[in-house]
Structure formats: structure tokens, C-alpha cells
Amino acid sequence: MKIASILTLAAALCAVSVNAAAAAAPHSTTTTKHVAKATSTTTKHAKATTTTTKNHKTTAKAKTTANAKTTTKAKTSTKPATKPATKPTNAPKAKDPCATLAQEGKKEGLSLSYAAVKGCYEAQPFNADLAAKTLAAIENSLGNFYAFVDQAKSGPTTVSGSPLQTAKVDIMGQLAKIKATKWKNDYEFQMALTYLTLSANDGHLAYTNNCYRTATFSQPLSLYAPVVNGTQDVRVFFVDTTVTKSGLPKDPSSLLDCKVVTIDGQPALKAIQDFTDRTSAISKDPGVRLNDALASTSWYSDWSTSPGGFAKRWEVPAKSSMDYTLQCGTKTQKLTIPWAVEPSDNFEANTFKDRATYWNVQCVASPSPYDSNIHTRALPDTEPAPEKRVIVAPAVRLFRERGTIALPKGGPRNGDGKAPSIITQATHLFTASTTIFYQLKGSSKNTCVAVIATEEAANFQYDASDYTDFIKGMQLMQSKGCTKLILDMTNNGGGSVDFAYFVNQLLFPTAKPYFAQDLRDNSLVQGAAKMAIKSTRGLSIFDARGYVSDATNKAYKDGSMFTKGVNYSRGGATVTFSQRTYFEHSWPFLPLKKNALKWKPKDISIITNGFCGSACTMIATRFAVVHGIKTYSIGGIAKRPLSYFSFPGGFVMDNAAIVSDLRSIQFKGGKTAPVSLPIMGYLNLAVGEIYAKDNSTLPIEYDSQWFAANVHLDQDPVSARHPDQVWVKIAKDFSK
Ligand SMILES: *[C@@H]1O[C@H](CO)[C@@H](O)[C@H](O)[C@H]1NC(C)=O
Ligand SMILES: *[C@@H]1O[C@H](CO)[C@@H](O)[C@H](O)[C@H]1NC(C)=O
Ligand SMILES: *[C@@H]1O[C@H](CO)[C@@H](O)[C@H](O)[C@H]1NC(C)=O
């Protein structure tokens, strides 16, 4: 992998998940502080990597997630404005859009122009050598390791009432087509690869080239699609005048909750659905993809609202402004609002001056010392096992990159641990890093709510507080007399598989906390597995000793997990997977010695907006499929079933982690072995898959029967802003 891309990921999550990635982590998301806590031994490598790269210190410094704009401003202002090297002889040509972009990027507080960004992207010529290397890297990784490469060809099962709707995708066939196509420029070639990976609608799968993600495009209008009086319409959720005031009426707040009739001449809902079906990839359910495009309110260390992917995007819009027809009461008005174009966290201000230098700085990966040496050391015994380290799923990264909308003055804030004004129907009990705990008021006070935002938890062997705080919150709810429990897992992108197992075991101490999983098992994997079993234990995800056999409940001592694989029919072919396994687990604080939790499945409900991915799925589906807990989903498309979870996958890795893993066990693998991407970017993929039942032959990811929530609730103008309104509704259902 490219240092660049690693560090950009580091920037997004803070330095340490880099190591996670580096250390070949099959996993999902993680936060900064948790990982930082967890992996002190690997932290130094992040630092080391940071210092070996030129540009990326800035990126890593400019700590991010929230608002790209603020970050970029901060970044630019801390840098001395180096003068462009303008010797008269090699001054950039007047028509070079990248030169314009370089100039625009130097001015603090100013936006980029639509024309310069688009022009600079399109100015990069097709480079046959780089294209061949890019294709080889993608083909080798996806062809050998992507868990769903075969099943994607036939798509999800057909089940009546299934909310899933996604095209069948022959990824390898399409890659061959892309290879055979004559491309106008590098941008179009690279975008074809990105859109191909997105078309599988697997939140774990994406090819992202940062070269063409150096700007973000924002609209001040955040939209949503509530159902009012039985009709679903697109409406204005919020007008963020910090994005731009251009094109807005004098009183921008007069637009709140106006109906959006058309966008760029199309019916509004169709315009949004088409956009999100192409760019979101968060789910095989179009309703969840719609939710991903729209504003949504959720907790993640604070209550905040995401603008949604439609208002804040990485994809270059078709034109420099957006046209709206709005209906406010009986009045119809037309607005044309220019896109606010801002440097993204990938933008390296003051490092390029023209097309060629943009290419060198923003696009091409420099050879990395990281790939070759990160794994030459032996891991100490205390090193977290592979499954305890983390990589963020691309759908989650995208969601976080959008940041949050600038809240109105005096608006909802959770500052001092007091109940924020966004929540008015419940009393705040306790806040843990992953979860905030509430008790409903009044006649619903026998119902408590745990808002689980993430499964990102430190390895409890280093710091148990994420686990023990979760226990504390659950016990506190029980001690308040709550006999009913709602788990709100909206916008939860996963995290540690171990933490998910832990939650399952905490609530159901005598039940199995995991789903069985497996990995691809082809000749390349078998070759890797043979090397791994001879290597220092714990270096590789192909080391069978890191897994427990689902059949015998014993950890593997030999390579039979891979040498004695299992055949399935997938996508019209017979394909081999490893034996079924799970990750070893045991927690010193379970079972609880006192104040054991008493909730039975009938006392618990789950609510999500369908964005409950990866490790979140491992809790939500375990509760629903195995224990029969009632599920609710909210939003999506009216009068159509809606999933309560998305992208269960198995666990996520990226290309860099796979390359580094194979190097660590000195596996060469020949022509089809994974190789580093020659560009700055990522290729993320699920390398494992999980099964709902012991006798399932198809992974949950494609097993349509499990996805629909028992109850699909419509979003309305109040519940969209106050999720506790929905908790009250669900609480009332308990007594029915
Ligand atoms: C919904 O319908 C009621 C009467 O049926 C009406 O009073 C109300 O204004 C309508 N609400 C909206 C937002 O159109
Ligand atoms: C699985 O299929 C392969 C051919 O695709 C075959 O060689 C192998 O023997 C089969 N394994 C089992 C366990 O049936
Ligand atoms: C799995 O077992 C259950 C009973 O435990 C049965 O109802 C179901 O049909 C089986 N499914 C398959 C795919 O064999």
C-alpha cells in the first residue's frame, strides 16, 4: 500500500488505525482514542511512517472527521505560503486547470472553483503503465480474496418481502472489459473502477482513488424525505448558510420543510435515488441507500446531524450549480444554488503548481518502506490477535467524511453530559464511549434506551473501560426499574468483532455469541495458509491457529481449516471456502457475578435506519435471527420494506493489509499474488463471510430472508429531528 493512502486513512481516524491496516487486520471501524489506547506497541510505526512521507504530516495533523472546510482552512493557514516556483521559462500554461487549482488552494478561506477541479481531474492523461498496475492490483486482490466475488454474479436470493434490490455484478468480467476499453483520460478509467466496485452495493467494498477526491462539493440545503399525511415528499431539512449564501433567499430559514418538487429538472426523489444508487454502495437495499443520501440525526460522542451524501459529495456534479423547484405552502419558487467547492482532506495545498506536479503529488504512490518492513519483527505475545485490529469500512469512511451540518445557534449540544435538547422525552443516565444510556419519561419510564453508536472499543487487555462502561450503563438502566429495553443502532458502522460478541454474550450469557464465518479457499490462499502455519503465530489472517473450528470448538493446530475446505455453488460455479470458524473470545468480566441482566428477548427491541453495518450486524442479526428480538427500521422508501442492517460481510481488509500480511509470512505467490496499488488510494474488501444459521449455505450478505425489519416506520418532520419520538412509539408497542 501507499503510504499516502495509509496516512489519509490515518488522518480520517487519527494515526493509529494505520497500524491496524498495516498489521493485516480483518475488521471494521475504529476510533482514534480507542485504538490509540489499544495498540501502543504499534503506534510508533504510524509515527515512523508519517515522518518518512513528505506531504502527509499536514494531513495527519489536520485532524478531521467533521468539517472538511474548517480543517482545510486550518491546514492552509498553518502553512507558510510558499511562493510558486515561477521562473518565467517554466511558468504554468495559462490554460492548465491544475495551475488554477493550485492558485485557488493557496488562498485561505476561499473556495476552489468547479471548473478548475473538474478541469484538473480531466487533464490527467491515460497512463497505460499505471493502468496496467492498477488493474493487476485490483484483479489479484478481488479475484483471490473478495468473499463475494462469485455470489455477486447471481445477486441476493429472491424472497418475497425482501427489501434488497441490487444489480448482478460480474466483477472480474467487468474488470476485463475495463482493461480492453480505450479511455479518454486517467480520470475516466479510474472512475470506471470505482463505480464498478460500488455497483456491488457492499459497504465493505470500494476502490477509492484520492487523486480524484481532493475536493468536496456541498449544497446548503440538506434534504430528507418524511411521510406527511400519508405522502412521502422530499423536503428541506436544514439550510446551512455556512456552506454558501449564494442563491438563497433573504430569509433562508423560510425554506425549512418546504417541499422539493424537482432537482435539476427531475422529480426530486428520483434525482436523489439515482444519485445514491450510483455513489453510496452502503446497502443492497435502495431504501437504506436513500437514507444515506439524506440528512439524519444520530449520536456519536455527541448528537449531531449528517447532511447526507446528496448535499455533500465527492462525485463531481454534472454542472456547477443545482436547480431546485420548491413549494413553500402554496408558493412555488425556483432556486439556482452554486456548489460550494472546498479542498478535501486529501488536498495538499502548496505542493503542486500544474498538471504534472498535481499528478506526482496527489495521484502517484511513492514506493513505500512500509510494505517491506512492517512485518519483519515478531509480534510480542501481548500483541492483539489479527481480529482485534481494525480497518474502517469504506461506507463508514464516506459517512464520516461528510461531517455534520452546522447547527443553529443555541441548537442541540450535548456539552456537559446533560440531556441534550435534541432528546426531550428521556432522561440521560450515563455515557460510555460506544453508547449513551437513557430512561424514557412519564408513562414510558419502564423503558430504557441504549444508543449504541459504534462497536469501536479498545482491546480490553489494554484498557477494559469500553467494555466495563457498557456493562455499567446496562446495569444502571436495570437498576432504574427499566423492564423494557430499546437498542438504537442508527448510523452504526461497526468496529470490533470481539466487542460485538461481548454484547451478545452479556445479554444472553448461555447462548453462542457469534455466527460461523469462513474465508475463500483457492490455491493462492492455500499457499499462504501453508506459509502462515509455519510462521510466528498471529502474523497472518491465513494462519489457521488464529481461528476456532465451528465443528469442534477447538482452536486449529494445523492447516486443515484451509486444506480441507468446503464446496459451495455460488454464482453458477463450484467454489471452495475454508471450514467454518469463529474468533476466540473470553472476557474476564463475564458472566456477571452480580446484577445479572434480566431482559428476555420479548423485552427488547432494536431500531436502526438500516445503516447498521459490519460488527453492528453481528449484534442486531444475532438478536433478531437467533433470539427473535423485534426489529424496527425507519426512513427509506414509503410503503416498501426496509432493512434494519446492511453489509454484514465478515470482516474487512484493504489491499495494503493483504500485501503486508503475505509479506509477513514470506509468501510470494507468483503472478496473481496481491501487489500494492500504484496510486494514492484504497481498495477495501470483505475477506470473510458469516452465516445466519449453522445449516445456511449462503452468507447473510446475500440471504435476502433476513434483511427486512419486522416494522418499517416512516420518518416525519419531528422524529427526523428528535429520535426519542420514535423510542416513545416503540415503548408503547411493548405493552400491546
Ligand atoms: C395534514 O392534513 C391535515 C388535515 O387532514 C391538515 O390540517 C394538515 O395541514 C396537513 N399537514 C400537512 C403538513 O400538509
Ligand atoms: C471441491 O471442488 C473441487 C473442484 O472444483 C474438487 O477438486 C474438490 O475435490 C471438491 N472438494 C470436495 C470436498 O468436494
Ligand atoms: C436448516 O434447519 C432448519 C431447522 O433447524 C430448517 O427449517 C431449514 O430448512 C434448514 N435449512 C437448510 C438450508 O437446510
Side-chain angles (χ1 to χ4, degrees):
M1 142 106 87
K2 319 315 68 280
I3 285 184
S5 45
I6 289 167
L7 286 179
T8 317
L9 173 60
L13 295 173
C14 271
V16 199
S17 42
V18 167
N19 305 297
H27 232 329
S28 324
T29 50
T30 227
T31 43
T32 345
K33 52 180 178 173
H34 303 133
V35 188
K37 276 191 282 183
T39 50
S40 50
T41 47
T42 46
T43 313
K44 57 179 181 281
H45 295 279
K47 279 191 213 137
T49 345
T50 313
T51 47
T52 50
T53 16
K54 40 183 174 74
N55 332 328
H56 292 280
K57 254 182 286 170
T58 346
T59 324
K61 235 194 296 173
K63 160 156 184 259
T64 160
T65 57
N67 195 325
K69 197 170 22 176
T70 349
T71 314
T72 315
K73 270 183 209 153
K75 185 163 60 175
T76 332
S77 60
T78 54
K79 276 202 157 190
T82 37
K83 283 223 169 117
T86 45
K87 276 185 244 152
T89 43
N90 66 353
K93 278 184 200 137
K95 284 278 152 64
D96 181 345
C98 298
T100 310
L101 190 62
Q103 292 302 324
E104 290 171 355
K106 283 190 176 115
K107 292 179 195 151
E108 189 183 337
L110 282 186
S111 297
L112 307 176
S113 65
Y114 172 84
V117 173
K118 186 166 191 278
C120 183
Y121 287 0
E122 289 173 348
Q124 303 303 337
F126 181 77
N127 177 320
D129 177 55
L130 182 117
K133 287 184 174 142
T134 305
L135 277 163
I138 297 177
E139 280 172 350
N140 293 0
S141 260
L142 298 187
N144 288 303
F145 301 109
Y146 181 43
F148 306 119
V149 74
D150 295 296
Q151 187 57 37
K153 285 195 252 180
S154 47
T157 49
T158 313
V159 171
S160 98
S162 163
L164 305 190
Q165 190 183 322
T166 186
K168 299 173 183 178
V169 191
D170 176 1
I171 293 170
M172 302 313 287
Q174 290 299 318
L175 284 171
K177 270 196 187 155
I178 289 173
K179 191 187 271 182
T181 303
K182 202 163 161 23
W183 295 96
K184 204 163 79 185
N185 51 40
D186 183 64
Y187 175 56
E188 293 200 350
F189 164 71
Q190 296 287 345
M191 285 300 113
L193 293 171
T194 293
Y195 289 121
L196 170 60
T197 54
L198 297 182
S199 70
N201 284 318
D202 169 1
H204 283 122
L205 180 71
Y207 169 69
T208 310
N209 187 334
N210 292 343
C211 177
Y212 306 117
R213 301 250 181 145
T214 53
T216 60
F217 301 86
S218 310
Q219 283 284 316
L221 305 193
S222 297
L223 307 178
Y224 72 133
V227 175
V228 178
N229 282 351
T231 306
Q232 182 170 37
D233 284 306
V234 176
R235 287 175 190 262
V236 177
F237 183 84
F238 186 67
V239 187
D240 189 346
T241 52
T242 67
V243 171
T244 182
K245 290 195 173 87
S246 194
L248 292 174
K250 276 204 199 76
D251 176 13
S253 63
S254 67
L255 300 178
L256 269 193
D257 275 310
C258 289
K259 221 186 265 184
V260 183
V261 186
T262 68
I263 297 173
D264 285 343
Q266 293 245 40
L269 200 56
K270 179 180 185 331
I272 297 170
Q273 191 73 53
D274 287 352
F275 167 81
T276 197
D277 286 352
R278 184 173 70 240
T279 58
S280 160
I282 197 165
S283 175
K284 294 178 178 63
D285 178 344
V288 181
R289 299 198 292 271
L290 180 64
N291 281 345
D292 190 47
L294 300 172
S296 66
T297 300
S298 57
W299 182 83
Y300 184 82
S301 47
D302 201 351
W303 284 97
S304 62
T305 300
S306 165
F310 192 74
K312 175 112 189 214
R313 49 178 81 177
W314 58 266
E315 185 189 60
V316 181
K319 54 194 182 59
S320 64
S321 60
M322 193 163 239
D323 302 321
Y324 302 85
T325 312
L326 300 178
Q327 197 181 324
C328 308
T330 53
K331 196 175 122 206
T332 298
Q333 50 180 309
K334 290 186 184 293
L335 299 178
T336 295
I337 304 178
W339 285 99
V341 189
E342 301 286 343
S344 76
D345 288 329
N346 297 326
F347 190 91
E348 301 291 353
N350 299 311
T351 58
F352 64 90
K353 63 184 165 68
D354 54 15
R355 189 208 59 74
T357 47
Y358 180 92
W359 177 256
N360 293 337
V361 172
Q362 298 278 184
C363 308
V364 183
S366 40
S368 151
Y370 163 80
D371 276 349
S372 52
N373 66 15
I374 187 89
H375 271 311
T376 52
R377 73 207 162 97
L379 295 173
D381 287 347
T382 51
E383 193 80 359
E387 74 278 10
K388 309 252 164 53
R389 304 196 206 94
V390 280
I391 289 181
V392 76
V396 181
R397 192 167 65 221
L398 190 58
F399 179 82
R400 291 189 182 160
E401 279 168 3
R402 290 175 199 143
T404 55
I405 58 181
L407 294 161
K409 258 188 253 146
R413 283 270 144 212
N414 191 30
D416 46 358
K418 285 187 192 147
S421 57
I422 220 164
I423 302 300
T424 59
Q425 308 298 309
T427 308
H428 173 249
L429 295 179
F430 182 62
T431 306
S433 62
T434 58
T435 307
I436 190 164
F437 301 87
Y438 292 96
Q439 177 171 23
L440 291 183
K441 293 178 182 168
S443 60
S444 298
K445 71 179 188 320
N446 70 336
T447 303
C448 278
V449 184
V451 182
I452 309 177
T454 176
E455 288 70 37
E456 295 156 341
N459 184 325
F460 66 83
Q461 287 160 357
Y462 294 89
D463 177 350
S465 63
D466 294 336
Y467 287 67
T468 52
D469 280 356
F470 188 83
I471 295 174
K472 186 175 161 188
M474 297 302 271
Q475 289 179 325
L476 191 58
M477 292 192 299
Q478 184 163 275
S479 74
K480 294 285 177 185
C482 282
T483 54
K484 306 292 176 192
L485 173 63
I486 297 169
L487 304 176
D488 187 333
M489 302 173 87
T490 291
N491 291 341
N492 180 328
S496 154
V497 173
D498 187 73
F499 189 78
Y501 286 7
F502 155 77
V503 171
N504 295 349
Q505 194 82 87
L506 175 67
L507 279 137
F508 299 101
T510 59
K512 245 175 33 176
Y514 57 84
F515 289 119
Q517 65 192 12
D518 60 18
L519 282 78
R520 299 273 304 280
D521 189 4
N522 44 45
S523 60
L524 198 90
V525 171
Q526 293 207 0
K530 268 182 207 138
M531 294 299 286
I533 201 102
K534 289 190 283 189
S535 71
T536 310
R537 191 187 154 170
L539 286 176
S540 170
I541 68 138
F542 306 107
D543 186 345
R545 295 167 298 178
Y547 299 85
V548 180
S549 160
D550 192 47
T552 67
N553 290 318
K554 293 208 168 71
Y556 286 92
K557 294 202 169 93
D558 59 20
S560 57
M561 169 182 163
F562 293 104
T563 53
K564 295 183 180 155
V566 184
N567 284 351
Y568 299 99
S569 171
R570 298 275 172 86
T574 297
V575 292
T576 312
F577 278 79
S578 73
Q579 293 181 10
R580 294 192 187 188
T581 69
Y582 57 92
F583 291 127
E584 237 165 350
H585 56 268
S586 88
W587 304 277
F589 24 80
L590 293 187
L592 296 178
K593 297 208 171 57
K594 50 179 188 178
N595 301 327
L597 306 178
K598 300 199 179 86
W599 294 291
K600 299 277 172 290
K602 67 172 174 42
D603 304 322
I604 306 174
S605 289
I606 291 174
I607 167 92
T608 85
N609 62 343
F611 177 14
C612 163
S614 216
C616 181
T617 306
M618 293 181 186
I619 300 172
T621 52
R622 192 86 204 147
F623 281 19
V625 171
V626 176
H627 302 297
I629 284 171
K630 190 171 179 183
T631 53
Y632 293 77
S633 55
I634 186 159
I637 301 166
K639 302 187 175 78
R640 190 182 187 284
L642 182 66
S643 308
Y644 67 95
F645 69 95
S646 297
F647 66 101
F651 34 81
V652 63
M653 286 182 80
D654 63 21
N655 187 62
I658 294 174
V659 168
S660 149
D661 181 306
L662 296 179
R663 272 187 202 164
S664 76
I665 53 171
Q666 277 141 45
F667 176 67
K668 302 253 169 7
K671 265 195 178 153
T672 63
V675 287
S676 294
L677 287 169
I679 54 92
M680 293 188 184
Y682 322 87
L683 173 64
N684 289 91
L685 56 147
V687 296
E689 51 179 24
I690 58 174
Y691 296 91
K693 300 268 186 182
D694 288 346
N695 65 353
S696 305
T697 54
L698 201 64
I700 301 180
E701 184 87 22
Y702 280 88
D703 201 348
S704 299
Q705 63 182 308
W706 308 115
F707 283 79
N710 299 124
V711 181
H712 173 197
L713 299 172
D714 292 325
Q715 199 65 274
D716 65 52
V718 179
S719 65
R721 295 171 169 99
H722 301 279
D724 53 341
Q725 298 288 332
V726 179
W727 306 341
V728 172
K729 267 188 216 167
I730 295 173
K732 297 209 164 97
D733 279 359
F734 280 123
S735 46
K736 275 180 194 161

